[in-house]
Amino acid sequence: MSAPSVSLKPPAGATPPQRHPEAPAPGELLGSHYDQCFGCGGDQPHGLHLEARAGEGVSVTAEFTVRPAHQGAPGLAHGGVLATALDETLGSLNWLLRVIAVTGRLETDFVRPVPVDTVLHLDARVTAVHGRKIYSSAVGRIGGPDGPVAVRADALFIEVKVDHFIEHGRDQDIQAALSDPDQVKVARAFEVNP
């Protein structure tokens, strides 16, 4: 893997991540943060339907099955779909910190092709925190959690307030998400992506 760019290397003074005391327990399924999310939402017919589980420390594991709708070249996953799976998994880490954050930068290395019907096993962790900046990395493997590496990513997430989504999102979707009686779902709806 190529070294992350300077903007993805934690600066001097960055601290190790601290798992929030109320974060989901290791092994717990995190569930969809928003039912309309292309990455994890159950209401997206061609979405990834990615499922993430809390890991030890500030880490998550996830699985994503490449379907025919996710093709780029015939029989192979589209690179943008693989980047989306990495971004979704990395974004799930913020739930363990209990912060709202958006993707600021994502650098992806495509190591080997990922065929349709393959399960991509993803493992992500936060590496450091510096102010509002959250540094993280992920790897995706095929053939099992210890299989050959297919994709890798380094990312920078930026902590934001919920106002970020309210100011920039489509009003009807914002109102629908805010009116959900499940307050955990309301909080999770606004956790990732710009």
Side-chain angles (χ1 to χ4, degrees), residues 40-190:
C40 65
D43 289 351
Q44 288 294 334
H46 297 297
L48 306 187
H49 301 162
L50 186 135
E51 293 187 345
R53 290 188 180 278
E56 297 292 331
V58 186
S59 70
V60 298
T61 58
E63 290 185 359
F64 153 58
T65 301
V66 178
R67 301 288 178 216
H70 304 138
Q71 291 181 83
L76 297 174
H78 189 287
V81 169
L82 297 175
T84 300
L86 287 161
D87 185 48
E88 186 69 30
T89 304
L90 289 158
S92 297
L93 291 165
N94 298 314
W95 192 240
L96 301 180
L97 298 172
R98 298 300 284 260
V99 299
I100 300 171
V102 297
T103 309
R105 185 171 181 92
L106 177 70
E107 288 185 6
T108 306
D109 291 319
F110 300 95
V111 180
R112 66 175 22 96
V114 180
V116 169
D117 296 327
T118 297
V119 176
L120 187 64
H121 300 268
L122 297 135
D123 185 17
R125 62 196 63 255
V126 174
T127 57
V129 176
H130 189 258
R132 294 177 44 226
K133 295 180 178 182
I134 302 163
Y135 297 86
S136 54
S137 62
V139 63
R141 298 174 182 273
I142 56 177
D146 297 319
V149 173
V151 291
R152 294 183 178 112
D154 290 295
L156 170 64
F157 281 78
I158 309 296
E159 186 176 350
V160 297
K161 302 294 181 202
V162 74
D163 294 351
H164 170 87
F165 300 96
I166 293 169
E167 291 171 13
H168 300 288
R170 192 170 68 163
D171 190 55
Q172 66 195 48
D173 297 315
I174 298 296
Q175 294 309 316
L178 289 173
S179 66
D180 193 307
D182 183 339
Q183 289 303 298
V184 172
K185 282 181 70 178
V186 171
R188 291 208 63 205
F190 301 101

